[in-house]
Amino acid sequence: MGYVNSLKCRECGREYPVDPIYVCEFCFGPLEAAYDYNKISSVLSRELIEKREKNLWRYKELLPIDGEPQVGLSSGFTPLIRADNLANALGIDHLYIKDDTVVHPTLSFKDRVVSVALTKAKEFGFDTVACASTGNLAHAVSAHGAKAGFKRFVFIPATLEPSKIVASLVYEPNVVAVDGNYDDVNRLCTEIANKYRWAFVNINIRPFYAEGSKTQGFEIVEQLGWKTPDNVVVPCASGSLLTKIWKAFKELNYIGLISEVKTKVFAAQALGCSPISTAVKAGTDIIKPVKPDTIAKSLAIGNPADGYYAVNVIKESSGWAETVTDLEIIEGIKLLAKTEGIFSETAGGVTVATTKKLIEQGIIKKHELTVVCITGNGLKTQEALSGHTKQVFYIKPNINSFEDILRNVL
Ligand SMILES: *Cc1c(COP(=O)(O)O)cnc(C)c1O
Ligand SMILES: [Zn+2]
């Protein structure tokens, strides 16, 4: 038996049964899982969590499933790496990378949300799963859906990086490339979700899907020795991950596993798609949709579903937001790679470059403990680096030919 009592409207508070629904019939606000925290705090302890397997289901009482986990049994519990080299390069003392580029089967944090969404889709009895994706979500739905035995439809913008498309195709889902941007894809998928009884993980299953992101927040706290960081820098597409990391910290505090939450939450966005950062800087929570134009395609959502809530978390936590150019994104990817040996995709470049900017502005301070969320693996977006790396040395298979180039290197 699970610990979710109902789905609750985030705007008017009306409650609904736990069904594959996502929007309030009265005010059109989004629905969110409402837990019985008293019951959870009576069963869940640090010790119990620490005894469990190192995957995201070690926090299962705080996830919206009723039975045992069925999908994603090897997702999550990614490393939290002390990043002293990068800290030195940026001029601060305490920096950690939450490294979601590894461990997950499809090498991005989307394995978290999909593990929860597909477990719930099984509980609801769906036979077909689907998603509107900027790339990584399609990988996770394709892979986990294959293992779990679902029919799969993944919808993507047709302009996605070729390597990102192949990384879905290999699992043999139905890949539908739409002539439009993510916001067009999402609009079409909402229409399809109304017509077909499929589990669209980020549409009609969204209240359950979104909760999976909390596991990144839970892990950060546990891996820091059951405390929250001073700062956390989070890349934003729809803004969901950012709000759920905050929710995770608050929940652990609420059920008594940590005594305080003193974290400032920072949003990282690309200049070519920065509706959330722009609103934060303008001091408003009204999100103005934009037409995305950036190499950070996995973050290219011009009309972010959780943008309003992300802005409010940033405000509540006394955080801030920044934007970075495509060139800064590439520099960010390279800086992380050459200091920490971590190859992140463009989204990670956005987060590193944003962190650099926040430090330079004195907003993130030298003595504070900062966690940077790196959410996807660089092997997925290699195209972004073309023309921006060192050259390969091409030589003949003899020592003279090698020493010719060695003279130039030394
Ligand atoms: C989806 C995604 C995000 C952010 O997603 P939200 O929609 O803001 O929750 C961040 N990084 C990567 C690599 C992603 O694929
Ligand atoms: Zn409502």
Side-chain angles (χ1 to χ4, degrees):
M1 273 310 294
Y3 297 86
V4 174
N5 288 334
S6 64
L7 295 181
K8 200 169 173 180
C9 173
R10 284 168 93 167
E11 291 305 314
C12 73
R14 274 197 177 77
E15 295 193 68
Y16 293 84
V18 180
D19 284 328
I21 51 175
Y22 64 106
V23 66
C24 175
E25 286 167 14
F26 291 89
C27 76
F28 302 108
L31 303 183
E32 187 176 34
Y35 295 82
D36 183 344
Y37 290 116
N38 288 335
K39 215 162 115 197
I40 294 172
S41 65
S42 72
V43 297
L44 198 59
S45 65
R46 294 180 183 184
E47 294 70 29
L48 180 61
I49 291 169
E50 285 166 353
K51 273 206 290 255
R52 289 179 174 163
E53 287 199 39
K54 289 190 161 46
N55 63 50
L56 57 80
W57 292 112
R58 65 208 263 112
Y59 314 102
K60 64 181 178 183
E61 287 82 356
L62 290 163
L63 294 170
I65 63 167
D66 289 335
E68 284 302 307
Q70 301 186 52
V71 180
L73 302 181
S74 62
S75 300
F77 216 76
T78 60
L80 182 75
I81 293 166
R82 192 169 167 107
D84 286 338
N85 297 341
L86 181 59
N88 279 340
L90 297 179
I92 61 170
D93 298 333
H94 309 286
L95 182 60
Y96 289 83
I97 302 291
K98 182 56 175 163
D99 187 5
D100 266 27
T101 71
V102 291
V103 176
H104 297 300
T106 69
L107 305 179
S108 93
F109 102 93
K110 292 296 198 300
D111 290 78
R112 300 179 181 279
V113 281
V114 169
S115 299
V116 176
L118 296 198
T119 294
K120 199 66 205 175
K122 278 220 171 277
E123 290 184 353
F124 282 140
F126 285 99
D127 66 2
T128 304
V129 294
C131 66
S133 174
T134 56
N136 288 320
L137 183 57
H139 300 169
V141 168
S142 301
H144 293 280
K147 171 80 170 160
F150 285 110
K151 290 184 212 126
R152 296 147 293 151
F153 283 84
V154 301
F155 295 79
I156 54 170
T159 52
L160 224 54
E161 300 95 335
S163 57
K164 276 223 159 145
I165 298 177
V166 172
S168 282
L169 284 171
V170 68
Y171 306 105
E172 296 197 345
N174 301 290
V175 177
V176 186
V178 180
D179 177 16
N181 60 33
Y182 173 83
D183 300 286
D184 300 317
V185 176
N186 191 48
R187 207 173 315 114
L188 170 64
C189 286
T190 305
E191 209 180 317
I192 297 170
N194 282 332
K195 192 158 174 189
Y196 295 84
R197 208 190 112 74
W198 296 350
F200 267 90
V201 301
N202 55 340
I203 299 177
N204 54 327
I205 306 293
R206 190 171 179 87
F208 309 94
Y209 155 95
E211 293 288 292
S213 286
K214 292 191 306 191
T215 59
Q216 196 175 48
F218 296 147
E219 290 172 21
I220 289 170
V221 170
E222 183 182 351
Q223 290 168 319
L224 284 173
W226 296 105
K227 61 174 196 190
T228 52
D230 298 316
N231 308 305
V232 62
V233 189
V234 188
C236 288
S238 74
S240 177
L241 173 64
L242 182 143
T243 64
K244 295 297 176 174
I245 287 178
W246 181 244
K247 185 178 182 192
F249 293 174
K250 299 285 253 193
E251 282 184 341
L252 293 179
N253 180 235
Y254 193 75
I255 65 169
L257 296 198
I258 55 174
S259 57
E260 56 171 0
V261 178
K262 42 159 196 160
T263 310
K264 296 188 183 117
V265 182
F266 296 94
Q269 292 208 291
L271 190 58
C273 183
S274 62
I276 295 172
S277 298
T278 301
V280 169
K281 289 182 170 188
T284 171
D285 57 17
I286 299 165
I287 302 285
K288 226 204 258 155
V290 299
K291 255 202 166 9
D293 178 17
T294 169
I295 57 165
K297 292 180 196 276
S298 58
L299 303 181
I301 297 185
N303 189 10
D306 286 284
Y308 165 81
Y309 299 102
V311 170
N312 279 292
V313 163
I314 291 163
K315 212 188 291 175
E316 186 189 343
S317 73
S318 305
W320 192 240
E322 259 307 343
T323 54
V324 291
T325 65
D326 283 356
L327 209 55
E328 288 172 318
I329 294 168
I330 288 163
E331 289 306 319
I333 293 172
K334 291 167 66 178
L335 182 63
L336 181 63
K338 72 181 176 200
T339 55
E340 296 297 330
I342 295 170
F343 185 15
S344 85
E345 69 153 83
T346 43
V350 171
T351 318
V352 170
T354 295
T355 306
K356 181 166 184 277
K357 216 165 239 189
L358 293 167
I359 293 167
E360 283 164 1
Q361 293 168 356
I363 295 170
I364 287 180
K365 303 206 169 49
K366 188 170 160 52
H367 63 275
E368 294 170 339
L369 193 162
T370 301
V371 172
V372 173
C373 296
I374 301 299
T375 46
N377 193 294
L379 294 171
K380 293 179 177 232
T381 59
Q382 296 190 52
E383 293 90 342
L385 288 177
S386 111
H388 295 280
T389 57
K390 272 175 78 165
Q391 294 300 302
V392 173
F393 298 112
Y394 289 98
I395 63 168
K396 296 272 180 275
N398 63 60
I399 192 83
N400 290 343
S401 184
F402 172 65
E403 287 179 343
D404 282 346
I405 65 104
L406 189 58
R407 269 191 284 283
N408 297 326
V409 176
L410 295 178

